[in-house]
């Protein structure tokens, strides 16, 4: 690409963050933002729930909660969240992977589809997976840093499962706002299983990628957020809990 060439983008391709992720990493698990507010800004995305009560995935405007027992519930607009990232999903190009691929090769394949590490991307992958490792988190009291909860996460592993991976790529330098790099959540086709993706061995998949060059960020107005001292560098914590 010539240095002055531009990548073609769909009009108004933007990501919405209802709070900066560093508030979550510090342990502010109650921001009381209604799902109805989140859905005004997108029909596709991920996040968590107030009190860190499980993993959130939003597909086609439907929001699902995967709790720490591994149970999936479709939830209504009244549920509350401290952190979610959404977009109105419009895939640009699609890419298929139909050959045996290790978990490491899969992550490299996915990263290589992205033309630059300096944009956001929404990523939706449909297909069959030979192996998947996901996690969810048990409900928490406020103010325990996210890194302290790392060894309480519950891991689920599946073989030969069909479903959808949904999430985002965030530029590394925006790590105080959203999880840097690839961040994907899984929901099985039968809506029975899911979680935050830890490892994936695909069998036959189709990945859709949406380039995103705008961001809308809401800053919470809770007293917790307004009074918090955000001087601590949370990058190490984030690498520990979200990778
Ligand atoms: Zn996650």
């Amino acid at each position: 690409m010539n240095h002055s060439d531009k990548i073609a983008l769909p009009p108004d391709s933007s990501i919405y963050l209802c709070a900066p992720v560093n508030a979550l990493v510090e342990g502010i698990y109650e921001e009381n933002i209604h799902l109805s507010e989140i859905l005004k800004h997108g029909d596709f995305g991920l996040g968590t729930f107030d009190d860190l009560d499980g993993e959130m995935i939003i597909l086609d405007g439907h929001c699902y909660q995967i709790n720490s027992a591994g149970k999936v519930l479709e939830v209504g607009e009244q549920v509350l969240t401290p952190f979610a990232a959404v977009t109105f999903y419009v895939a640009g190009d699609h890419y298929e992977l139909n050959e045996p691929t290790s978990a490491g090769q899969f992550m490299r394949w996915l990263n290589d589809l992205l033309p630059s590490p300096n944009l956001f991307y929404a990523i939706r992958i449909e297909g069959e997976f030979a192996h998947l490792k996901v996690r969810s988190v048990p409900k928490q009291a406020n103010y325990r840093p996210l890194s302290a909860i790392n060894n309480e996460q519950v891991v689920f592993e599946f073989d030969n499962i069909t479903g959808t991976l949904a999430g985002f790529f965030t530029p590394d330098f925006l790590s105080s706002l959203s999880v840097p790099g690839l961040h994907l959540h899984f929901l099985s086709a039968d809506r029975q299983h899911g979680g935050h993706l830890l490892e994936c061995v695909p069998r036959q998949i189709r990945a859709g990628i949406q380039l995103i060059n705008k961001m809308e960020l809401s800053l919470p107005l809770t007293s917790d957020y307004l009074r918090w001292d955000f001087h601590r560098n949370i990058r190490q914590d984030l690498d520990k809990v979200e990778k």
Side-chain angles (χ1 to χ4, degrees):
M1 187 186 300
N2 187 286
H3 68 274
S4 60
D5 287 350
K6 279 192 178 167
I7 293 173
L9 283 161
D12 294 323
S13 183
S14 67
I15 185 171
Y16 172 74
L17 305 168
C18 72
V21 79
N22 62 351
L24 190 75
V25 175
E26 291 284 21
I28 306 178
Y29 301 138
E30 289 178 6
E31 298 286 15
N32 302 324
I33 302 156
H34 281 88
L35 178 62
S36 55
E37 181 61 30
I38 304 296
L39 294 174
K40 284 180 199 163
H41 299 271
D43 58 4
F44 171 95
L46 50 67
T48 185
F49 297 88
D50 260 19
D51 307 311
L52 208 66
D53 191 13
E55 307 285 352
M56 173 192 289
I57 181 168
I58 300 175
L59 292 175
D60 306 315
H62 294 268
C63 180
Y64 302 88
Q65 177 177 22
I66 301 118
N67 68 21
S68 61
K71 205 171 168 226
V72 179
L73 303 163
E74 184 168 354
V75 293
E77 297 199 330
Q78 77 290 350
V79 299
L80 302 171
T81 175
F83 178 78
V86 291
T87 189
F88 286 104
Y89 182 73
V90 186
D93 293 323
H94 284 94
Y95 305 88
E96 290 186 8
L97 186 60
N98 297 315
E99 55 203 68
T101 307
S102 71
Q105 285 169 334
F106 166 66
M107 291 312 272
R108 282 192 292 279
W109 176 79
L110 198 49
N111 270 298
D112 286 347
L113 297 181
L114 312 179
S116 164
N118 302 330
L119 293 173
F120 283 102
Y121 301 87
I123 297 163
R124 179 172 181 151
I125 300 173
E126 307 276 356
E128 294 169 36
F129 302 88
H131 189 73
L132 267 183
K133 193 169 161 184
V134 296
R135 71 107 200 270
S136 188
V137 279
K139 204 169 171 174
Q140 294 295 324
N142 246 339
Y143 317 126
R144 285 186 74 201
L146 199 56
S147 60
I149 293 156
N150 200 34
N151 42 18
E152 292 168 30
Q153 69 176 6
V154 189
V155 174
F156 306 101
E157 300 202 44
F158 306 104
D159 292 319
N160 307 316
I161 189 163
T162 304
T164 306
L165 288 169
F168 297 96
F169 175 93
T170 297
D172 198 65
F173 60 86
L174 294 174
S175 62
S176 60
L177 305 182
S178 190
V179 177
L182 290 164
H183 181 198
L184 299 167
H185 287 187
F186 177 73
L187 185 66
S188 64
D190 63 7
R191 306 296 192 244
Q192 298 295 307
H193 307 288
H196 167 106
L197 184 72
L198 297 175
E199 209 176 282
C200 167
V201 179
R203 175 165 293 136
Q204 193 169 34
I205 57 168
R206 186 166 188 261
I209 309 264
Q210 175 186 0
L211 279 63
I212 295 176
N213 71 331
K214 285 181 203 149
M215 186 195 71
E216 187 181 353
L217 170 67
S218 281
L219 296 175
L221 295 171
T222 55
S223 56
D224 278 351
Y225 177 80
L226 297 177
R227 291 182 190 144
W228 201 269
D229 176 355
F230 284 106
H231 276 91
R232 192 171 75 93
N233 186 340
I234 51 98
R235 184 55 192 261
Q236 266 189 329
D237 286 16
L238 202 51
D239 287 342
K240 193 164 132 196
V241 294
E242 296 293 349
K243 298 293 147 183

